[in-house]
Amino acid sequence: MILPTAYLPPLSYMQALMSEPAMIEAMETFEKQTFRNRCLIRDAKGELVRLTVPVGKVEHKQLTRDIQISYQTRWQHQHWITLVSAYQHTPYFMYFADYLRPFYEKEYKWLLDLNDEMNATLVSLLRREKPTSVISGQLSARTEDWSGQIWTDKHPWQTELSILDTLFDEY
C-alpha cells in the first residue's frame, strides 16, 4: 500500500499504515490544504481545532519530498500548547507526552522528515504495552478494536480526527 505523508494523521490512516506493509509516497505532487501538513483535534471544550505545519512557498507541481517547513511563526510552541490544553486531562496524556514533546523542540527542515519520524513514533507507541502503573494488559495491534475519540458523550463523532484522540484516551 502506498500512502501520502501525514501530520498527526487520522485513525483511518494509522489503521492502513499498521495493517499492511506500507510505503510513504515522496515523489507525488504536494497538495495544499491536506492532512500532509494539517491535522484535526478536539480541544478540552470539544471544539474542533485544526493544526497546520506552515510550509515555505510551494511551487506548481512541487514534489512532497521538497517541501520545507517554515519557522517564521512559533508554530511548534503553539501546537504543543494546544495539545497540552486539549489532552492534559485524558487518561494517557502524561504517559505519552514525553515521546511527542521532542517533535516540538527540534527544527526539521523537511516536512517529510517530521512526518516520517513522528509517525514511526506513533506506530511504536500504539504497539507497546500499556503502562502497568495505569492499567495492566497489552496494547492491541488490532486497530479495528479502537473506538477512537474522546468527548463523544458530549459531542458527535467527528471523522478524521488525529490519532492522538485514540492514543491519549484508549491507552
Side-chain angles (χ1 to χ4, degrees), residues 147-163:
S147 64
Q149 294 182 19
I150 59 175
W151 318 121
T152 52
D153 58 331
K154 299 176 187 173
H155 303 282
W157 179 266
Q158 175 67 41
T159 60
E160 302 306 311
L161 279 183
S162 171
I163 188 64

Side-chain angles (χ1 to χ4, degrees), residues 117-134:
E117 287 184 32
M118 188 175 278
N119 290 336
T121 298
L122 289 168
V123 166
S124 174
L125 293 174
L126 290 167
R127 288 191 170 144
R128 71 184 330 175
E129 290 187 19
K130 294 179 184 179
T132 55
S133 62
V134 179

Side-chain angles (χ1 to χ4, degrees), residues 1-24 35 38-40 100 103 114-128 139-146 148 160-168 171:
M1 174 180 292
I2 299 175
L3 298 170
T5 188
Y7 173 68
L8 296 175
L11 176 62
S12 59
Y13 180 98
M14 294 304 290
Q15 288 172 321
L17 187 63
M18 294 175 70
S19 65
E20 298 181 28
M23 291 178 35
I24 304 302
F35 59 86
R38 295 176 180 216
C39 73
L40 187 64
L100 296 174
F103 295 105
L114 169 67
N115 290 350
D116 284 353
E117 287 184 32
M118 188 175 278
N119 290 336
T121 298
L122 289 168
V123 166
S124 174
L125 293 174
L126 290 167
R127 288 191 170 144
R128 71 184 330 175
L139 290 179
S140 171
R142 295 181 38 185
T143 56
E144 66 271 13
D145 294 338
W146 297 343
E160 302 306 311
L161 279 183
S162 171
I163 188 64
L164 294 182
D165 270 41
T166 299
L167 182 68
F168 295 145
Y171 293 86

Side-chain angles (χ1 to χ4, degrees), residues 16-156:
L17 187 63
M18 294 175 70
S19 65
E20 298 181 28
M23 291 178 35
I24 304 302
E25 177 62 70
M27 300 299 287
E28 69 173 349
T29 301
F30 181 77
E31 293 182 39
K32 295 180 180 180
Q33 300 182 1
T34 63
F35 59 86
R36 288 160 182 81
N37 67 319
R38 295 176 180 216
C39 73
L40 187 64
I41 67 167
R42 231 185 251 284
D43 68 13
K45 296 177 185 175
E47 302 293 322
L48 295 177
V49 177
R50 184 167 305 280
L51 299 177
T52 303
V53 177
V55 297
K57 185 173 183 213
V58 177
E59 301 295 330
H60 180 66
K61 296 198 178 209
Q62 187 170 353
L63 298 179
T64 298
R65 72 169 188 191
D66 298 328
I67 299 299
Q68 292 187 31
I69 298 173
S70 173
Y71 290 93
Q72 291 181 343
T73 63
R74 296 183 63 207
W75 72 268
Q76 289 174 295
H77 174 75
Q78 186 58 48
H79 284 210
W80 183 249
I81 295 301
T82 302
L83 293 175
V84 170
S85 175
Y87 296 115
Q88 67 184 339
H89 297 295
T90 58
Y92 301 104
F93 177 78
M94 294 308 293
Y95 180 73
F96 292 120
D98 289 341
Y99 294 97
L100 296 174
R101 179 184 282 259
F103 295 105
Y104 299 98
E105 295 172 343
K106 175 182 175 184
E107 285 194 11
Y108 290 82
K109 181 175 183 178
W110 307 106
L111 177 65
L112 194 61
D113 291 343
L114 169 67
N115 290 350
D116 284 353
E117 287 184 32
M118 188 175 278
N119 290 336
T121 298
L122 289 168
V123 166
S124 174
L125 293 174
L126 290 167
R127 288 191 170 144
R128 71 184 330 175
E129 290 187 19
K130 294 179 184 179
T132 55
S133 62
V134 179
I135 190 167
S136 62
Q138 188 166 358
L139 290 179
S140 171
R142 295 181 38 185
T143 56
E144 66 271 13
D145 294 338
W146 297 343
S147 64
Q149 294 182 19
I150 59 175
W151 318 121
T152 52
D153 58 331
K154 299 176 187 173
H155 303 282

